[in-house]
Amino acid sequence: MGIRSLISPSSSSIRIPLGEAGRAGWGDRMDPLRKKLNRVVLGPGGEFDLIRQLVGPEEPLGQGVLVGSGDDCTVLEGGWVVSTDLSVEGVHFRREWVTLEEAGYRAAAAALSDLAAMAAEPIGALLSMALDPLRASSDALELQRGVAEACRVEGIRILGGDMARSPGPLVLDIVVIGRADSPVLRAGTEVGDELWVTGWLGGSGAAVALWKQGSHPPDDLREAFARPRPRIREARWLAGRVPLHGLIDLSDGLAGDSGHLAAASGLSLVLREASIPLHPALQGVPGLGDDPLHFPLEGGEDYELCFTVAPGSLDEWVGSFQDAFGIPLTKVGRATGGTGVFLEAAEGRIRPLERHGYSHFSGEEEG
Amino acid sequence: MGIRSLISPSSSSIRIPLGEAGRAGWGDRMDPLRKKLNRVVLGPGGEFDLIRQLVGPEEPLGQGVLVGSGDDCTVLEGGWVVSTDLSVEGVHFRREWVTLEEAGYRAAAAALSDLAAMAAEPIGALLSMALDPLRASSDALELQRGVAEACRVEGIRILGGDMARSPGPLVLDIVVIGRADSPVLRAGTEVGDELWVTGWLGGSGAAVALWKQGSHPPDDLREAFARPRPRIREARWLAGRVPLHGLIDLSDGLAGDSGHLAAASGLSLVLREASIPLHPALQGVPGLGDDPLHFPLEGGEDYELCFTVAPGSLDEWVGSFQDAFGIPLTKVGRATGGTGVFLEAAEGRIRPLERHGYSHFSGEEEG
């Protein structure tokens, strides 16, 4: 793709040029960007406070490391991107809900979704598993089948990994390796930008809610949980047509993840309640309560894309996107000054979204 | 370092040239090597049988992936190397044995040791932790302090990672990212080569044996377990002076790991019993049984280097290595035809080493 300008003159998109320039090393003009990127900017929440504590202050990144913590992937010179993603039995999945093959599939899909969140091309995966020694062999093979299938869908394979005994739950850690000439970061949104999402939201969270009540989710909701599709092709299609200003994947819910987007650019995002594309299979399912928006906003694990673009820039592409991928592309909000994420009701009332997505350390049990 | 010849004319060393050639893509002459490297060649053992099953057959590697499974790191175009390493509470460490800071330190050292095993320069690390939600914050900070310290010793920092709740033991997964102009692989040994190791062996395994008996290991043995030193500088020093034919780090014990070296080159290795550099702190410690060689051979987690060189090529460097690093450099055996690993007793009798290192899935509990 050659060299792109650091800040495209026609937009505020922060794209890292990684063609020849990236390979030849960074010139002085890159330093302000490197400094800017070398920050951990995350939305609010106890988990993210902890991450802010864990990741050191603004120490220099390693040689050839272009983006460190605080985005979906680490970005290395030459356009390589790397991310790591945990999946824990009893937290991310339960054996009563899914087969181990499905658990492996969704763990890999979740990890691959971090490549989608950079608009990167997938290259390979490393699979680590902590296994019950008494059934290690059969469990490992079943998990691996699912991981390998999710990889195959994206045209990649398992390149390596690690295995260990676990006296507790199954734990998977999946490292994904990808490549992008111009990885799209979380930062880069400007006031006035539009916020968009791909696909239907809330299906996975609703399935979990039904399982926890002892019900069986309808097939479409179960499928949303068990076999999410990382939006890798969709992200690359979009990034190839329109400058994406900020991009993230929806792993923790629209509230929390748009909070990261807002924080990364130092502004606020206002979601229009009526525009949120609620998964159609939530309609009429008993047991989901009287606030179905809870699922897209807080449910998490939809693994759809959430991104900002300049006003009007995407409109001409909506039809062909939907034709190409068979999923909706929906404008759900806008960027304004201030901080945080707000929800605008149909009648125009705007309220701040207090709770921001699933928290691993709130004491509440998910799975 | 520029381009090196694929197979150096003066030796059988398989080094992957990753200067301009690696960046410009692979020419046709690289294909036989790529095919050769795209195999999983591991020593015997149930765990490795499982790995052979898990990693697909000879499918093509991803674009820009030079080495996949079966070596210590994945090698990417541009000289990037990536490895992932699990550490599980109750398996790799116990809270009664080490502080969580030490557990983090040794988990990172173990991961970094995979960079040493490629003679790579460390660049950064990703840290994933599955944590008890009731003490997540304090546990995470303590583990992270240890990981960060091990990183700091090697001049790198934590670039990112993941966190999740765990209803079971603490689990760490540490991804290390490094760079090498000419990563040294496991394969490349020739019949007649000498087998060498760095440092003292068996200290870590002896500490574990003493803890399991309810004893307290002497300080030096405890230190060998709690604060292993990845031999990154040592590997780079050696690789810069002498063609290393095959290279691995000692994570599973000299028997198992030299088994991988032997298998990678399709020959056998004969260890000279009297030459194995037994950790001096094992002398005279009660409770270690009448076969102290068990610890270097089977104990594992010494994280020293084990490598082969052409006969006589290293002799002139032994003194300056020991002066520079303060640890011994010892010739422990030789490569011959056949398969497997053999132990040669002082009186010349040679027997095959049947058990090959620590197995995660033998049913025996380590930690």
Side-chain angles (χ1 to χ4, degrees):
Chain A
M1 304 222 186
I3 304 176
R4 299 186 190 199
S5 64
L6 192 60
I7 308 287
S8 154
S10 64
S11 80
S12 64
S13 172
I14 297 192
R15 294 186 152 197
I16 310 179
L18 290 167
E20 301 315 307
R23 277 156 208 176
W26 285 77
D28 289 342
R29 73 187 181 89
M30 305 292 185
D31 284 346
L33 176 66
R34 296 197 68 176
K35 191 156 185 187
K36 179 168 182 181
L37 298 175
N38 184 12
R39 291 178 309 165
V40 185
V41 186
L42 297 169
E47 193 171 345
F48 305 115
D49 291 340
L50 182 53
I51 291 174
R52 272 180 282 264
Q53 277 186 278
L54 287 175
V55 175
E58 304 206 4
E59 295 161 30
L61 296 169
Q63 212 189 350
V65 181
L66 309 184
V67 179
S69 310
D71 216 299
D72 296 284
C73 293
T74 298
V75 182
L76 306 173
E77 227 174 69
W80 292 104
V81 300
V82 181
S83 180
T84 181
D85 210 58
L86 276 174
S87 190
V88 181
E89 179 188 352
V91 177
H92 295 90
F93 65 92
R94 288 187 192 173
R95 287 177 196 247
E96 309 91 270
W97 299 350
V98 290
T99 66
L100 286 192
E101 191 170 332
E102 288 170 326
Y105 183 97
R106 73 188 295 277
L112 287 161
S113 184
D114 282 329
L115 297 182
M118 311 295 284
E121 174 194 6
I123 300 290
L126 308 179
L127 167 60
S128 296
M129 296 184 278
L131 300 156
D132 177 346
L134 297 181
R135 41 191 293 174
S137 186
S138 60
D139 283 2
L141 288 169
E142 215 185 318
L143 288 165
Q144 186 269 356
R145 261 200 303 276
V147 173
E149 193 200 334
C151 287
R152 204 159 36 237
V153 170
E154 305 304 334
I156 64 168
R157 55 171 271 187
I158 300 169
L159 297 171
D162 194 14
M163 276 195 293
R165 287 189 299 114
S166 166
L170 291 173
V171 178
L172 285 83
D173 189 272
I174 299 180
V175 177
V176 288
I177 299 171
R179 213 163 184 180
D181 281 298
S182 293
V184 184
L185 305 183
R186 291 182 179 178
T189 306
E190 291 208 327
V191 168
D193 278 357
E194 298 168 351
L195 181 71
W196 289 72
V197 297
T198 60
W200 303 109
L201 306 185
S204 178
V208 170
L210 291 168
W211 270 313
K212 284 172 150 181
Q213 294 166 22
S215 322
H216 287 287
D219 284 353
D220 283 358
L221 295 183
R222 185 187 187 285
E223 193 77 358
F225 176 85
R227 301 182 68 82
R229 271 293 308 277
R231 298 301 183 190
I232 289 175
R233 288 181 186 82
E234 290 83 348
R236 293 169 62 73
W237 190 98
L238 289 164
R241 282 159 181 80
V242 176
L244 307 182
H245 289 185
L247 172 61
I248 196 168
D249 66 315
L250 293 175
S251 53
D252 293 333
L254 184 55
D257 290 321
S258 59
H260 294 318
L261 272 193
S265 294
L267 42 68
S268 76
L269 290 165
V270 180
L271 307 174
R272 249 192 339 267
E273 195 176 292
S275 304
I276 293 170
L278 195 64
H279 197 298
L282 267 78
Q283 303 288 343
V285 176
L288 292 179
D290 54 4
D291 180 20
L293 277 184
H294 167 79
F295 299 108
L297 288 172
E298 316 286 356
E301 302 192 303
D302 284 318
Y303 300 113
E304 295 293 345
L305 302 173
C306 175
F307 58 96
T308 52
V309 294
S313 63
L314 196 54
D315 297 346
E316 63 171 309
W317 297 106
V318 173
S320 47
F321 177 92
Q322 294 179 168
D323 289 347
F325 299 108
I327 55 171
L329 187 60
T330 313
K331 189 186 333 181
V332 294
R334 63 184 187 279
T336 70
T339 57
V341 178
F342 297 83
L343 191 65
E344 181 178 4
E347 78 277 13
R349 195 168 43 90
I350 293 182
R351 65 178 175 87
L353 279 173
E354 292 297 345
R355 206 192 147 224
H356 293 287
Y358 176 71
S359 171
H360 271 281
F361 304 117
S362 64
E364 180 203 347
E365 202 201 343
E366 179 198 344
Chain B
M1 303 221 184
I3 305 175
R4 299 185 188 199
S5 64
L6 191 62
I7 309 286
S8 154
S10 65
S11 77
S12 64
S13 172
I14 297 191
R15 293 186 153 197
I16 309 180
L18 291 167
E20 300 316 306
R23 279 157 207 174
W26 285 78
D28 289 343
R29 72 186 180 91
M30 305 293 186
D31 285 346
L33 177 66
R34 294 196 70 175
K35 192 156 184 187
K36 178 169 181 180
L37 298 176
N38 184 11
R39 290 179 311 165
V40 186
V41 186
L42 296 168
E47 192 172 346
F48 305 114
D49 290 341
L50 183 53
I51 291 174
R52 271 179 283 265
Q53 276 185 277
L54 287 175
V55 177
E58 306 206 3
E59 294 161 31
L61 295 170
Q63 210 190 351
V65 180
L66 309 184
V67 179
S69 311
D71 217 300
D72 296 285
C73 293
T74 297
V75 183
L76 307 173
E77 228 175 69
W80 292 103
V81 300
V82 181
S83 180
T84 182
D85 209 57
L86 276 174
S87 190
V88 181
E89 180 188 353
V91 177
H92 296 90
F93 65 92
R94 289 188 192 172
R95 287 179 196 245
E96 310 91 89
W97 299 351
V98 291
T99 66
L100 286 192
E101 190 170 333
E102 287 171 327
Y105 184 97
R106 73 188 295 278
L112 287 161
S113 184
D114 282 329
L115 297 182
M118 310 296 284
E121 175 193 5
I123 300 290
L126 308 179
L127 168 59
S128 297
M129 296 184 279
L131 300 157
D132 178 345
L134 297 181
R135 42 191 293 174
S137 185
S138 61
D139 282 3
L141 289 169
E142 215 185 319
L143 288 165
Q144 186 270 358
R145 261 201 303 278
V147 173
E149 194 199 332
C151 286
R152 203 157 37 236
V153 170
E154 305 304 335
I156 65 167
R157 56 171 268 187
I158 300 169
L159 298 171
D162 194 15
M163 276 196 294
R165 287 188 299 115
S166 167
L170 291 173
V171 177
L172 286 82
D173 189 273
I174 299 179
V175 177
V176 288
I177 298 171
R179 212 160 185 183
D181 282 297
S182 293
V184 184
L185 306 182
R186 291 183 179 178
T189 306
E190 291 210 324
V191 168
D193 278 356
E194 298 169 351
L195 181 72
W196 290 72
V197 297
T198 61
W200 303 110
L201 305 184
S204 178
V208 170
L210 291 167
W211 271 312
K212 283 169 151 185
Q213 295 168 20
S215 320
H216 287 287
D219 285 352
D220 284 358
L221 295 185
R222 186 187 186 285
E223 193 78 359
F225 177 85
R227 302 184 67 83
R229 271 292 309 279
R231 298 301 184 191
I232 289 175
R233 288 181 186 82
E234 291 83 347
R236 293 170 60 74
W237 190 99
L238 289 164
R241 282 160 182 80
V242 175
L244 307 183
H245 289 185
L247 172 61
I248 196 169
D249 67 316
L250 293 175
S251 54
D252 293 333
L254 183 55
D257 290 320
S258 60
H260 295 317
L261 272 193
S265 294
L267 41 68
S268 76
L269 290 165
V270 181
L271 307 174
R272 249 191 338 265
E273 194 176 293
S275 303
I276 293 171
L278 195 63
H279 197 297
L282 268 77
Q283 303 289 344
V285 176
L288 292 179
D290 54 4
D291 180 21
L293 276 185
H294 167 78
F295 299 108
L297 288 172
E298 316 285 357
E301 301 191 305
D302 285 318
Y303 300 114
E304 295 293 345
L305 302 172
C306 177
F307 59 95
T308 52
V309 295
S313 63
L314 196 55
D315 297 347
E316 63 172 310
W317 297 107
V318 173
S320 46
F321 178 92
Q322 294 179 168
D323 290 347
F325 299 107
I327 55 171
L329 187 61
T330 312
K331 188 186 334 180
V332 294
R334 64 184 186 280
T336 70
T339 57
V341 178
F342 297 83
L343 191 65
E344 181 178 7
E347 77 277 11
R349 196 170 40 91
I350 294 182
R351 65 178 174 89
L353 279 172
E354 291 298 345
R355 203 191 152 229
H356 291 288
Y358 175 70
S359 171
H360 273 278
F361 304 117
S362 63
E364 179 204 348
E365 203 203 342
E366 180 197 343

